[in-house]
Amino acid sequence: MNPHSPLDLSIYVHWPWCLKKCPYCDFNSHTTNRHLEESYIESILADIEHQKKLVGDRNITSIFFGGGTPSLMKADYIERILHKIDGLFSIQSDTEITIEANPTSTTASKIKDFKRAGINRMSIGVQSFHDSYLKFLGREHNAKQAFATIEEALNHIDNVSFDLIYGLPEQKLTNWQADLEHAIKFGTKHLSAYQLTIEKNTKFYTDVKRQKWQPMCDDVQADFYDCTREIVTAHNFNHYEISNFSKAGYDCVHNHKIWQYQDYIGVGAGAHGRHQTIDNQTYLTQNYRMPSTYVEHVKPVKHSFYRHETLTSHETWQEMLIMGLRIQKGVPIHLLERNNTTKQALLRFMQLGMLYNNRGNIALTDHGKLHLDSILTDLIF
Ligand SMILES: C[S@@+](CC[C@H](N)C(=O)[O-])C[C@H]1O[C@@H](n2cnc3c(N)ncnc32)[C@H](O)[C@@H]1O
Ligand code: SF4
């Protein structure tokens, strides 16, 4: 690499609105105050300008419109945001530009408009191909609409991924296998399979607390996870991260860069970032969560952080392990030879067959992937 070429940077843009709040979701998503959309976009543009001053000239490797439901955005909003980024940093022809899309708000004409605006990757929140499970998950779409959206997306965009959720109460393994088979038949190049997590402050959390239903137990979830890996990898998908599978050349660049500890900035309500400033400090940034507060705050001061802190080298090391162990490549071995406690824990997990030496990097084995949280606790804390 040319020593004078600018450092790589990813950009995350948060769209905070959804048509309806799903009962399992604790993302920063809202259903009110959509009249703020126009001023929200103006705030995002100001936020990007401000953060450019912090990070300086950069090579933009990826841009990710996440949410909330960014497919509710007008294509014109996307165009204005990309135009601003291009003017400040310059977008390359190979910059990955993803939008998260929900089948309810993704029509054929919208997909074409998004593509014209610059989107080259789409991640669709399908969740299930079974109507009864979609109903349980409180989704507004049915399986037929999900099929139609995927087909339409694949007609216009080569790089289409979709999200599926497993581990629903009393879900049958055969139904989940059928979901995976459907996903594979579409010829998609990327797939995210998430285990249902019961998050605090969600309706599902209250339901479970009131014993309306029981979440799937850990052992059965592990069977679902193993089965997912077997089916998907048998169809030449690479299991490149705990919940993510891709065909060769189709890893999600954006998430990969973040797991590999590359700099990124986050713009929009609740977005966070982590980057080196031009005076060589590592900044962690976190924006105001409420769209109205974000808009209000960006106006007068032209920046949106309610918190930005610098990381110590110890915190940076912890973050690198937390992120890096998620991916197949793993982390450089020297990160785990930092002190005696970590070295001993590493040895123990290698003997237990949970970690292995992947050509100079330490990575999770298939067995280890089921125990990432406890491995991290022992390595780090
Ligand atoms: C921001 S949402 C995706 C975009 C869009 N809002 C949608 O839901 O279709 C990102 C993904 O996270 C997953 N997700 C959200 N909450 C989850 C939970 N509690 N457990 C497992 N997966 C979850 C879903 O698969 C969802 O598609
Ligand atoms: S899962 Fe997606 S659509 Fe549902 S509330 Fe969360 S962000 Fe919105």
Side-chain angles (χ1 to χ4, degrees), residues 14-31 66-70 100 102 104 125 127 137-140 165:
H14 191 76
W15 178 260
W17 287 290
C18 294
L19 291 178
K20 188 187 154 217
K21 186 82 185 169
C22 302
Y24 55 88
C25 174
D26 78 337
F27 282 82
N28 185 29
S29 60
H30 307 263
T31 52
T69 306
E100 282 183 340
N102 187 318
T104 324
Q127 323 308 356
L137 289 168
R139 300 294 288 185
E140 295 280 87
I165 297 184

Side-chain angles (χ1 to χ4, degrees), residues 190 192 194 240-244 251-262 264 274 319-328 330-331:
H190 188 283
S192 303
Y194 298 113
Y240 76 97
E241 193 267 347
I242 302 274
S243 314
N244 286 286
D251 292 8
C252 172
V253 172
H254 185 83
N255 287 337
H256 224 290
K257 294 286 182 188
I258 288 168
W259 292 318
Q260 286 177 304
Y261 220 69
Q262 180 188 284
Y264 68 101
R274 184 198 57 226
E319 280 241 316
M320 283 173 136
L321 287 188
I322 293 170
M323 300 280 167
L325 276 178
R326 297 189 66 89
I327 52 176
Q328 191 180 41
V331 295

Side-chain angles (χ1 to χ4, degrees), residues 24 59 132 147 231 355 365 380:
Y24 55 88
N59 173 43
S132 57
F147 285 132
I231 294 184
L355 293 175
T365 60
I380 291 177

Side-chain angles (χ1 to χ4, degrees), residues 122 180 184 199 295 328 331 344 360 374:
M122 192 168 256
L180 293 173
I184 289 159
E199 305 282 2
V295 166
Q328 191 180 41
V331 295
Q344 278 165 15
S374 30

